[in-house]
């Protein structure tokens, strides 16, 4: 596989010296959280984190629930489901935004996708759109039954690949009365055409490789993985897109987590390459906020989906000035700007 092909699962960023100081050491955090300001202990009267697990179609899903300061299970709170990026886990950016939203009074949940992270399912790292969408429905199932949650005030935030899957989930699941995305990544579009349409000429070749991988699995052979290469710093620096260059640093260095991996089963491409997050956007009737960095080379995906959301009477495209895709995951000024917008958006529609 080419270096570019190996990079296709990446979605992370960092481009300033000393950024490691803006991340937590998961080895020193009892909840293995990687982000700046992560909870290290539950203190009465403050935002608390609750590791939980639940069953989804026979698989055990690992999740973290965040409760607001002064949480009382007898009260009624709005809730937000947070869907993590491709290759990511709940301890990274999804956890950061879940914690920050809990600080604003929401009960939030971030769960590892089935077959990924700490959740169950084999073979490991299957990455099929139907699974990721069902993960979001499953988080809604769980959190709406959580003590204190007002099931009639449920929001959804999807980040990167989780943003694309959140668009699909919200198209049909009207329990979500409002939806926001951050740095939305259309996994199907990119797996099919390549990032910024860089691999259109090899679509049939890659479909044949995916078909052969499925045949090998069905025959009991070894599982073949895509995006499984280890790149040197020099190779990373030569990658053609900012998203991939910055992503390798975020996921592989500054915010690395042992459960986070770029790789996915090659056979997953049979499902990924026929998926389109921006299809059927006219089914979204809920208020919609789509946020992205103004300097993100992934912005074209957010803009495409946004234009197709023709049946919501309340939609906004919000650009975070100067931010790249991955900088919205960790850089304090950009996270603060995104959070300010989310506070306004969810406050208007959920409170």
């Amino acid at each position: 596989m080419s270096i570019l092909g190996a990079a296709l699962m990446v979605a992370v960023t960092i481009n300033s010296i000393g950024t490691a100081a803006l991340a937590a050491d998961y080895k020193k955090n009892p909840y293995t959280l990687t982000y700046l300001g992560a909870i290290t202990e539950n203190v009465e009267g403050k935002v608390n984190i609750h590791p939980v697990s639940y069953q989804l179609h026979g698989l055990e899903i690992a999740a973290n629930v965040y409760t607001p300061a002064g949480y009382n299970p007898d009260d009624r709170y709005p809730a937000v489901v947070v869907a993590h990026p491709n290759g990511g886990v709940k301890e990274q950016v999804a956890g950061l935004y879940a914690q920050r939203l809990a600080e604003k009074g929401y009960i939030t949940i971030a769960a590892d996708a089935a077959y990924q992270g700490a959740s169950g399912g084999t073979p490991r790292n299957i990455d099929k759109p139907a699974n990721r969408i069902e993960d979001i429905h499953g988080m809604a199932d769980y959190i709406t039954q959580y003590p204190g949650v007002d099931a009639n005030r449920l929001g959804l935030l999807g980040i990167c690949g989780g943003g694309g899957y959140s668009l699909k989930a919200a198209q049909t699941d009207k329990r979500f009365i409002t939806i926001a995305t951050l740095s939305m990544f259309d996994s199907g579009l990119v797996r099919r055409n390549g990032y910024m349409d860089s691999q259109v000429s090899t679509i049939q070749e890659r479909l044949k490789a995916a078909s052969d991988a499925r045949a090998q699995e069905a025959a009991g052979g070894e599982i073949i993985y895509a995006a499984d290469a280890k790149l040197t710093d020099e190779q990373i620096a030569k990658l053609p897109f900012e998203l991939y260059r910055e992503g390798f640093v975020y996921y592989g260095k500054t915010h690395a987590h042992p459960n986070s991996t770029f790789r996915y089963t090659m056979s997953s491409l049979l499902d990924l390459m026929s998926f389109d997050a921006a299809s059927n956007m006219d089914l979204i009737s809920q208020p919609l906020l789509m946020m992205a960095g103004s300097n993100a080379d992934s912005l074209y995906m957010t803009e495409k989906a946004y234009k197709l959301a023709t049946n919501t009477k309340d939609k906004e495209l919000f650009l975070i000035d100067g931010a790249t895709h991955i900088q919205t995951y960790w850089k304090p000024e950009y996270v603060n700007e995104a959070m300010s917008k989310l506070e306004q958006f969810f406050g208007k529609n959920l409170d």
Side-chain angles (χ1 to χ4, degrees):
M1 176 177 291
S2 67
I3 291 175
L4 176 59
L8 283 178
M9 186 59 183
V10 183
V12 267
T13 185
I14 176 175
N15 64 0
S16 64
I17 297 174
T19 304
L22 297 179
D25 182 351
Y26 77 87
K27 296 179 181 178
K28 296 180 180 179
N29 186 288
Y31 307 106
T32 71
L33 305 174
T34 69
Y35 53 87
L36 181 69
I39 294 171
T40 57
E41 62 177 336
N42 283 335
V43 178
E44 186 175 356
K46 295 186 177 182
V47 170
N48 282 187
I49 183 173
H50 312 274
V52 300
S53 64
Y54 53 89
Q55 293 291 308
L56 182 65
H57 302 304
L59 299 178
E60 184 171 312
I61 302 300
N64 287 328
V65 171
Y66 294 79
T67 50
Y71 164 69
N72 182 345
D74 294 325
D75 290 340
R76 305 296 285 172
Y77 299 84
V80 178
V81 165
V82 182
H84 67 67
N86 292 338
V89 289
K90 62 187 179 300
E91 291 85 0
Q92 296 166 325
V93 59
L96 169 61
Y97 278 88
Q99 181 176 324
R100 292 290 297 270
L101 285 167
E103 291 169 1
K104 302 301 180 182
Y106 300 95
I107 294 177
T108 59
I109 183 171
D112 286 341
Y115 301 94
Q116 300 174 28
S119 290
T122 56
R124 298 305 297 163
N125 304 118
I126 289 175
D127 191 32
K128 297 184 178 183
N131 294 344
R132 289 295 308 271
I133 296 166
E134 188 62 17
D135 290 328
I136 295 168
H137 295 315
M139 281 191 278
D141 295 340
Y142 183 84
I143 203 63
T144 52
Q145 302 300 315
Y146 198 84
V149 167
D150 183 348
N152 295 315
R153 293 190 290 162
L154 180 64
L156 175 58
L157 169 62
I159 303 169
C160 187
Y165 296 128
S166 290
L167 292 177
K168 300 305 293 184
Q171 287 174 9
T172 57
D173 194 338
K174 300 307 177 179
R175 291 176 298 178
F176 297 114
I177 66 170
T178 188
I179 174 177
T181 65
L182 176 66
S183 301
M184 194 278 287
F185 184 94
D186 187 338
S187 303
L189 177 65
V190 174
R191 299 296 177 257
R192 181 170 59 254
N193 290 354
Y195 198 56
M196 301 184 75
D197 295 332
S198 60
Q199 292 183 299
V200 173
S201 64
T202 63
I203 288 176
Q204 296 302 323
E205 175 186 331
R206 287 180 286 117
L207 282 172
K208 180 61 165 60
S211 301
D212 291 345
R214 171 132 187 177
Q216 182 165 306
E217 289 180 22
E222 181 182 356
I223 305 298
I224 300 174
Y225 286 92
D228 203 21
K230 305 297 182 183
L231 304 186
T232 66
D233 289 345
E234 289 184 354
Q235 289 174 319
I236 293 170
K238 293 179 181 179
L239 292 172
F241 304 116
E242 154 264 307
L243 174 61
Y244 298 154
R245 292 191 299 269
E246 294 185 345
F248 267 98
V249 178
Y250 179 95
Y251 284 119
K253 297 182 180 180
T254 60
H255 295 74
H257 191 280
N259 289 339
S260 174
T261 175
F262 303 154
R263 75 176 192 164
Y264 54 94
T265 59
M266 183 75 76
S267 61
S268 295
L269 287 171
L270 293 180
D271 299 85
L272 281 163
M273 288 180 68
S274 61
F275 175 73
D276 188 348
S279 66
N280 300 315
M281 282 294 293
D282 59 311
L283 292 178
I284 290 182
S285 56
Q286 307 96 313
L288 173 67
L289 169 66
M290 300 191 73
M291 302 182 294
S294 66
N295 288 351
D297 54 15
S298 61
L299 177 58
Y300 71 101
M301 289 178 267
T302 289
E303 291 176 329
K304 176 185 176 182
Y306 180 81
K307 289 179 181 178
L308 295 173
T310 56
N311 281 338
T312 173
K313 298 178 181 179
D314 182 359
K315 70 173 185 175
E316 181 178 359
L317 174 60
F318 180 74
L319 298 183
I320 301 172
D321 189 41
T324 61
H325 182 110
I326 305 299
Q327 287 175 341
T328 65
Y329 291 16
W330 63 268
K331 201 165 188 178
E333 58 265 42
Y334 299 142
V335 172
N336 289 341
E337 190 170 349
M339 276 301 308
S340 178
K341 193 64 182 179
L342 286 169
E343 183 178 8
Q344 175 188 351
F345 178 71
F346 284 139
K348 173 184 175 183
N349 295 295
L350 294 180
D351 290 352

